Amino acid sequence: MKLDRFINRPVLSTVISIIILILGILGLVSLPITQYPDIAPPTVQVSTTYTGANAQTILNSVIAPLEEQINGVENMLYMKSTATNTGSATIQVYFKQGTDPDLAAINVQNQVSAAQGLLPTEVINVGVITSKRQTSTLMAFSLYSTNDEFDITFLENYAKINLIPQIQRVNGVGEAQVLGADYSMRIWLRPDVMAEYNVTPSDISEILDEQNLEAAPGQFGESSDQTFQYTLTYRGRLETEEEFGDIVVRTGSDGDILRLRDIADIELGRSTYGYSNRVNGYPGVTTMIFQTAGSNATTTIQSIEKLLDDIHSELPEGVEIAILLNTNDFLSASIREVIKTLLEAFVLVFLVVYIFLQDFRSTLIPAIAIPVALIGTFFVLYLIGFSLNLLTLCAMILAIAIVVDDAIVVVEGVHAKLDQGYQSARLASIDAMSELSGPILSITLVMMSVFIPVSFIGGTSGTFYRQFGLTMAVAIGISALNALTLSPALCALFLKPHTEEGDKKHGFIDRFHIAFNTAYDHMSEKYKSGVQFITRHHWITFGAVIASVLILMLLMRSTPTALVPDEDTGTIFATLDMPPATSQERTAEVMNRLDSLIASNPAIESRTEITGYSFLAGQGSSYGTFICRLKNWSDRGKGEDATSIIGKLYVQAATQIKDARILFFAPPMIPGYSVTNGLEINLEDRTGGDLDKFYEVAQQFLAALSQRPEIAMAQTSFNPSFPQYMVEIDVARCMQAGISPSDILTTLQGYYGGIYASNFNRFGKLYRVMIQAPPNSRLNPESLNHVKILNGDNEMAPITQFINLRKVYGPDNITRFNLFTSITVNGTLSAGTSSGTGIQAVEEVAAQTLPDGYSYEFSGMTREEQSTGSNTTLIVFALCLIFVYLLLSAQYESYILPLTVILSIPFGLMGSFIFAKIMGHDNNIYMQIALIMLMGLLAKNAILITEFALDRRRTGMGLAWSAVLGTSARLRPILMTSLALVIGLLPLMFAHGVGANGNSTLGAASVGGGC
């Protein structure tokens, strides 16, 4: 290939590189910044409320018909649903990766619409909401009152009315959700007074329908020849407590008027009192903010922080904002660590290259080529829709050692010509490139063939491989372009003909170079002798290859597997379970004790407690959740990492709080799959049998699983022992009294469960009107003695005449997984145990303990890893090897010769696994991308040795001597490239601080393979 044009026109060559740099910088500033690529499966949530219903009722009447319609919707992966005693029903539908979330939501909504006719009227009135679920949490902040002047009701709605609309308008925000209840006009019915006036809850609902409504009376003078036209208006829906109190319930013949305030207490309250929120010990409310796909997380968070700073001055006195969770903290700190390592690697590579080339001008050429290739890659990443994340940045670090080699090959080639006596660097560059252009292109194709095939693997792992592989391939492609244009042009400009130095006095650097060259020459002779010895004893070579393959396979089997390593993200969670049927007030007392314990830890910066809700169990009066933000990593001392803090708090809670089950855990590294970082197992009852029997099976499974050394703890929040009362209606007596059984149930719902009766407008929003008896009128079964119902004779009769209560036991929530009743089990792995080993333990225990008719399925990140399996590494390697082999076969026109390249790869990969064992790392995605890089680098080195040996073989030299001279000729550049890789990545291997686990895994695997 003739490349004289680029050497003779250095301005053209430099302009090409400058354009690449400019485009790369433009791409860099335009790339969205995220922690990981968007890998969580698209999720659509279907939710509704059946006020007053228990979990079993909701399961039968709401979830079952909805699931039957939704099941099998296009691209669906699996479906999980939950029914609770608080009246809520939730179905989460997970879709295959790559599915359009908007189209998925539309498809689910169509199926929900088809099931509307099968749902209870109360559910239809409330509405069934279908929404695509945002999975990337950006921030969580809390609004709280430090002087206790404002209660939680005010704070919840202040946030919804004044803060959320502004946050939703910030570019990049997909959803902003307040973990609290809306305003509601609470009409607290007094059962004893209602009975005196012969009024029932159904009467109140009808009256609200008649008197609290919007109307369109029309106009005077419309379509007439009058001069004026007047619009008729009606006051519309009521707004204030006073207006609702003035509603006329009944009028008497004597002119008496019975108003709503005479039989009920009316207040502006909450739509539900099922949970409460405290922040740093004060009443408060928490808001979660989610990111839209493809947006820049850093910029979005900065905009939100600026908005919150502006809003702070407008807050009522005593109201404060606390940032509870900020992904920018971990993301920015991680990216800073990676960039620091990138710069360190660049400097170390520069020094290694300088030591070998021993000429600053020569070293400058690869140093210029590296940033051009790396920065130019950002532009291509922007074009193909990638983000700037930890994976792409790690790929940049690994790419340094590869892209520098292209420039080194060119510089060495030109130096070889100058050693031959060329007096013109330009002519030396032209002749050198005429020989090198072909090998550079063929090596580039081979290198890219390693990285491109893995980009076609599907699933979460495939997304990781795609981001890494294409980033590496682009960097290598631009590096090859540099090697064909910029590097030879710089060689022609920078390098000088070699001349004898005579008796010139040598300085320290010169003496160092002489000593280095002497040592290298001595080592080179020893190496050449070693190669000659091996060529005479072929069995050593074959034995070494066989041994390396066997050891590699053994190491691959014995190294624990995981998807991504756990990191200290600066946030920890805690969940609390009280004994069944514990009241919310009692739960709040224990939550306050736990809050004091957490607050005493010096590493905790802020915390928020949510009573009545658990991340693991859902809603319920006996549950609670904490979200704790840790201090900045730099402000924490030794033993104050997230894992240590979790362990310390767990021990303290277990010893100081005996009447609750408390679990501390870290958030998942990859959001959108599950809440915890542990194992998530769904036991399934496929017999449709009794819940109590299913619970016994689950307990046997948990007991066996807890005995496994791989599992530190396994638990479920499911408990069928919650005390309940079964309402038994005496239908015969009802019919004798002229009462319908449905009237009995409606009356109970009106007083005890609550009825969504109407709507009202206030603060520019629409809220619900709820009717219910006050809490002190529904404390216990004896309160039924005050409840009466209108019989056929238009008289009030005690409701207790028609019903009996029988004490039973049941669950407070019921879950289903893929249409089967399920029990969710959360497992925490023992220290040093990988998730792959934990999954294997679960599979073995399930095979031993689960009887016929009972099965299990994984969900969340555990399902993704289990479906990916340990064979992924083998598949990736096989793909890479096949493509390299086929490309080399085409190049050499031989199916035998490429084996010399392929058989060199197991040695390097074996070193990676050995170093991973020594450093205690798992075979996770970071290690696997390092292995892919090494396959390319090892193949590249072997190709150049083979090329040199082939050239000598074609001149008629003997086979053994061709191999000896080929290896010795390429020893120096191979050592240069390998040492540049090893030394350049040592900071990564010994990384500490933010993101240390992933960086160390990547560095150890790369250094081990490079050695």
Side-chain angles (χ1 to χ4, degrees):
M1 181 180 292
K2 300 290 289 180
L3 299 170
D4 303 13
R5 179 187 299 271
F6 299 109
I7 298 171
N8 294 324
R9 298 182 61 187
V11 174
L12 172 63
S13 300
T14 54
V15 165
I16 292 173
S17 296
I18 291 171
I19 291 175
I20 292 174
L21 277 173
I22 293 173
L23 292 176
I25 293 171
L26 292 175
L28 177 61
V29 298
S30 304
L31 279 172
I33 301 174
T34 58
Q35 180 178 333
Y36 287 115
D38 189 15
I39 58 176
T43 307
V44 176
Q45 179 170 291
V46 179
S47 59
T48 187
T49 303
Y50 191 177
T51 306
N54 70 348
Q56 189 65 54
T57 301
I58 293 172
L59 190 70
N60 295 336
S61 61
V62 180
I63 287 181
L66 286 173
E67 279 189 341
E68 287 293 335
Q69 290 294 331
I70 295 171
N71 185 50
V73 69
E74 186 178 358
N75 291 327
M76 172 185 147
L77 273 178
Y78 62 93
M79 176 170 52
K80 192 172 185 178
S81 58
T82 304
T84 72
N85 283 345
T86 60
S88 67
T90 305
I91 301 173
Q92 292 181 343
V93 189
Y94 294 82
F95 290 84
K96 295 177 182 177
Q97 199 166 25
T99 303
D100 184 348
D102 295 310
L103 183 59
I106 292 172
N107 290 337
V108 172
Q109 177 58 50
N110 290 339
Q111 300 304 108
V112 170
S113 299
Q116 290 279 353
L118 303 174
L119 302 179
T121 305
E122 292 86 345
V123 174
I124 296 174
N125 292 338
V126 170
V128 181
I129 301 172
T130 303
S131 59
K132 63 178 182 181
R133 188 167 150 232
Q134 301 290 343
T135 56
S136 298
T137 304
L138 275 179
M139 284 184 69
F141 71 89
S142 296
L143 194 70
Y144 64 101
S145 174
T146 56
N147 56 13
D148 292 337
E149 181 180 346
F150 301 101
D151 62 7
I152 187 173
T153 304
F154 171 83
L155 293 171
E156 287 170 337
N157 289 278
Y158 184 90
K160 291 188 176 185
I161 295 170
N162 298 287
L163 273 63
I164 295 302
Q166 298 185 63
I167 292 172
Q168 289 173 329
R169 291 193 292 268
V170 173
N171 186 34
V173 173
E175 181 183 356
Q177 176 185 3
V178 175
L179 302 181
D182 286 331
Y183 273 135
S184 173
M185 191 62 68
R186 304 297 307 208
I187 300 176
W188 301 113
L189 304 177
R190 300 198 290 268
D192 49 349
V193 180
M194 297 266 289
E196 290 180 14
Y197 289 101
N198 288 10
V199 179
T200 65
S202 299
D203 296 331
I204 303 301
S205 295
E206 293 174 3
I207 290 166
L208 286 169
D209 287 339
E210 294 172 355
Q211 300 183 38
N212 181 46
L213 74 164
E214 295 288 354
Q219 294 182 343
F220 289 129
E222 184 179 8
S223 302
S224 67
D225 56 357
Q226 292 188 166
T227 305
F228 299 102
Q229 183 173 317
Y230 302 94
T231 301
L232 299 177
T233 62
Y234 180 67
R235 66 179 183 182
R237 292 194 185 99
L238 309 177
E239 293 187 5
T240 66
E241 298 93 315
E242 292 76 15
E243 290 176 345
F244 276 95
D246 289 336
I247 289 178
V248 176
V249 177
R250 182 181 299 159
T251 58
S253 57
D254 55 356
D256 289 340
I257 299 176
L258 179 66
R259 299 187 183 274
L260 188 57
R261 61 172 174 264
D262 298 326
I263 57 175
D265 298 317
I266 303 164
E267 68 170 351
L268 182 64
R270 304 172 70 195
S271 58
T272 177
Y273 291 86
Y275 48 87
S276 60
N277 201 325
R278 289 174 65 84
V279 180
N280 295 331
Y282 299 105
V285 62
T286 299
T287 296
M288 306 293 292
I289 303 174
F290 301 89
Q291 177 185 4
T292 55
S295 60
N296 190 318
T298 302
T299 304
T300 303
I301 290 174
Q302 289 172 350
S303 300
I304 296 170
E305 289 176 333
K306 183 179 182 303
L307 175 62
L308 292 179
D309 287 340
D310 296 339
I311 290 175
H312 191 272
S313 60
E314 303 172 4
L315 295 176
E317 186 176 353
V319 176
E320 299 291 338
I321 293 176
I323 303 297
L324 193 62
L325 186 151
N326 187 341
T327 56
N328 222 13
D329 293 341
F330 178 75
L331 178 60
S332 299
S334 299
I335 289 177
R336 279 197 301 269
E337 287 293 322
V338 174
I339 292 175
K340 184 183 77 171
T341 305
L342 188 66
L343 295 176
E344 291 171 347
F346 177 79
V347 172
L348 291 172
V349 168
F350 180 86
L351 290 176
V352 171
V353 173
Y354 175 72
I355 290 172
F356 275 88
L357 294 180
Q358 302 177 3
D359 175 28
F360 183 76
R361 287 171 174 263
S362 300
T363 308
L364 197 60
I365 295 169
I368 293 173
I370 291 174
V372 172
L374 297 186
I375 295 175
T377 303
F378 291 120
F379 177 67
V380 181
L381 296 184
Y382 173 73
L383 291 180
I384 59 181
F386 280 11
S387 62
L388 186 65
N389 54 63
L390 297 181
L391 286 178
T392 51
L393 287 175
C394 287
M396 294 293 186
I397 295 175
L398 298 184
I400 289 179
I402 295 179
V403 301
V404 73
D405 197 42
D406 288 332
I408 290 172
V409 168
V410 174
V411 173
E412 275 198 326
V414 176
H415 270 295
K417 294 298 180 184
L418 293 174
D419 287 337
Q420 295 173 12
Y422 278 71
Q423 294 302 307
S424 168
R426 186 180 67 83
L427 293 177
S429 300
I430 291 173
D431 287 352
M433 291 309 298
S434 65
E435 299 174 3
L436 292 173
S437 57
I440 288 174
L441 284 176
S442 63
I443 291 170
T444 301
L445 288 175
V446 170
M447 290 290 291
M448 295 179 74
S449 72
V450 172
F451 298 108
I452 292 178
V454 299
S455 304
F456 294 96
I457 296 175
T460 299
S461 299
T463 304
F464 280 112
Y465 290 131
R466 191 176 306 114
Q467 293 267 330
F468 172 79
L470 292 182
T471 301
M472 291 289 288
V474 170
I476 292 168
I478 296 177
S479 172
L481 179 62
N482 276 339
L484 298 176
T485 57
L486 180 63
S487 295
L490 292 179
C491 287
L493 291 174
F494 289 175
L495 301 187
K496 294 181 179 180
H498 295 175
T499 57
E500 295 293 332
E501 297 183 356
D503 297 328
K504 177 183 175 183
K505 186 177 180 180
H506 297 295
F508 170 77
I509 295 179
D510 295 324
R511 292 196 302 272
F512 174 79
H513 288 161
I514 293 172
F516 177 83
N517 290 334
T518 303
Y520 173 78
D521 292 338
H522 178 71
M523 185 202 67
S524 179
E525 290 301 321
K526 291 281 188 183
Y527 174 72
K528 189 182 296 184
S529 300
V531 174
Q532 288 176 324
F533 176 79
I534 291 175
T535 56
R536 291 194 300 269
H537 301 81
H538 301 294
W539 63 270
I540 297 178
T541 304
F542 291 113
V545 170
I546 294 171
S548 68
V549 172
L550 292 177
I551 294 173
L552 175 61
M553 293 178 65
L554 179 64
L555 290 171
M556 289 177 64
R557 285 181 174 273
S558 61
T559 303
T561 59
L563 190 61
V564 291
D566 294 337
E567 302 283 3
D568 180 353
T569 61
T571 303
I572 61 174
F573 297 149
T575 59
L576 175 143
D577 292 354
M578 295 291 289
T582 301
S583 68
Q584 188 172 333
E585 289 71 24
R586 172 58 183 156
T587 303
E589 292 177 10
V590 180
M591 287 287 287
N592 291 338
R593 289 166 54 197
L594 182 58
D595 179 65
S596 300
L597 187 151
I598 293 173
S600 65
N601 191 298
I604 302 292
E605 182 173 279
S606 63
R607 73 276 176 203
T608 186
E609 61 178 277
I610 306 170
T611 304
Y613 177 79
S614 167
F615 283 148
L616 302 180
Q619 294 185 36
S621 62
S622 59
Y623 303 129
T625 293
F626 275 90
I627 305 174
C628 308
R629 184 183 187 184
L630 307 181
K631 291 181 179 178
N632 191 278
W633 294 268
S634 59
D635 297 331
R636 285 187 260 152
K638 186 177 181 180
E640 290 186 334
D641 59 284
T643 303
S644 300
I645 294 169
I646 288 172
K648 183 177 180 181
L649 289 174
Y650 179 78
V651 172
Q652 290 177 331
T655 55
Q656 298 180 30
I657 303 176
K658 300 292 187 181
D659 46 357
R661 184 176 58 180
I662 299 169
L663 177 66
F664 289 89
F665 56 93
M669 285 304 302
I670 301 178
Y673 281 98
S674 53
V675 177
T676 69
N677 252 343
L679 303 176
E680 189 172 314
I681 310 130
N682 299 276
L683 300 180
E684 297 174 345
D685 176 9
R686 301 191 174 187
T687 67
D690 182 61
L691 282 174
D692 291 327
K693 183 180 178 182
F694 187 20
Y695 184 65
E696 291 177 6
V697 172
Q699 290 301 305
Q700 294 171 6
F701 174 82
L702 285 171
L705 189 61
S706 299
Q707 296 299 316
R708 295 293 297 245
E710 302 92 339
I711 307 298
M713 181 175 58
Q715 66 173 23
T716 178
S717 60
F718 180 83
N719 192 333
S721 303
F722 281 75
Q724 301 174 1
Y725 285 96
M726 174 69 73
V727 178
E728 297 176 339
I729 299 177
D730 189 335
V731 178
R733 181 169 291 185
C734 286
M735 296 182 69
Q736 290 171 359
I739 300 173
S740 167
S742 64
D743 294 336
I744 299 284
L745 295 174
T746 302
T747 300
L748 287 175
Q749 183 182 2
Y751 284 124
Y752 289 87
I755 295 176
Y756 168 31
S758 187
N759 299 304
F760 74 104
N761 293 92
R762 200 161 175 180
F763 310 114
K765 294 183 177 291
L766 183 69
Y767 299 109
R768 296 180 181 180
V769 178
M770 302 293 297
I771 61 174
Q772 193 177 15
N776 59 5
S777 295
R778 43 188 169 91
L779 291 175
N780 47 45
E782 288 70 27
S783 63
L784 286 170
N785 296 326
H786 303 286
V787 176
K788 296 186 179 181
I789 187 170
L790 199 64
N791 61 21
D793 297 329
N794 207 29
E795 295 177 353
M796 300 300 287
I799 200 170
T800 52
Q801 293 181 359
F802 309 101
I803 63 172
N804 292 309
L805 297 182
R806 179 167 55 88
K807 196 167 187 178
V808 295
Y809 296 90
D812 68 329
N813 63 69
I814 304 175
T815 60
R816 284 173 37 124
F817 193 89
N818 285 341
L819 302 181
F820 294 110
T821 303
S822 67
I823 294 177
T824 302
V825 174
N826 296 102
T828 303
L829 299 171
S830 301
T833 303
S834 70
S835 52
T837 306
I839 290 173
Q840 185 177 354
V842 171
E843 292 172 342
E844 293 173 0
V845 170
Q848 297 167 1
T849 60
L850 293 183
D852 293 339
Y854 296 89
S855 184
Y856 73 99
E857 290 186 67
F858 293 109
S859 58
M861 184 54 66
T862 312
R863 185 186 184 95
E864 179 60 34
E865 185 173 349
Q866 186 258 351
S867 62
T868 300
S870 57
N871 292 329
T872 301
T873 308
L874 293 174
I875 294 171
V876 170
F877 290 169
L879 272 175
C880 295
L881 290 175
I882 290 171
F883 272 76
V884 170
Y885 176 76
L886 292 176
L887 203 63
L888 291 176
S889 297
Q891 179 180 346
Y892 295 135
E893 196 59 34
S894 169
Y895 286 111
I896 304 298
L897 199 56
L899 293 177
T900 59
V901 176
I902 299 298
L903 294 178
S904 68
I905 294 176
F907 289 94
L909 302 187
M910 180 181 67
S912 294
F913 278 96
I914 291 173
F915 268 62
K917 284 279 189 181
I918 294 172
M919 299 291 290
H921 295 312
D922 301 329
N923 180 10
N924 53 49
I925 202 76
Y926 283 92
M927 181 174 180
Q928 289 163 20
I929 62 179
L931 296 176
I932 297 169
M933 181 277 297
L934 284 170
M935 292 180 70
L937 187 62
L938 294 168
K940 183 176 184 178
N941 289 336
I943 289 168
L944 290 174
I945 291 175
T946 305
E947 286 277 357
F948 273 72
L950 266 179
D951 288 341
R952 283 153 178 76
R953 180 67 174 157
R954 291 190 186 106
T955 62
M957 190 177 294
L959 183 62
W961 197 242
S962 297
V964 171
L965 292 183
T967 52
S968 60
R970 279 302 296 170
L971 177 62
R972 190 180 185 99
I974 287 175
L975 281 177
M976 195 187 320
T977 303
S978 299
L979 285 176
L981 171 73
V982 170
I983 296 176
L985 294 182
L986 283 177
L988 199 67
M989 179 177 171
F990 296 106
H992 61 277
V994 186
N997 294 338
N999 292 340
S1000 180
T1001 303
L1002 187 68
S1006 303
V1007 170
C1011 290

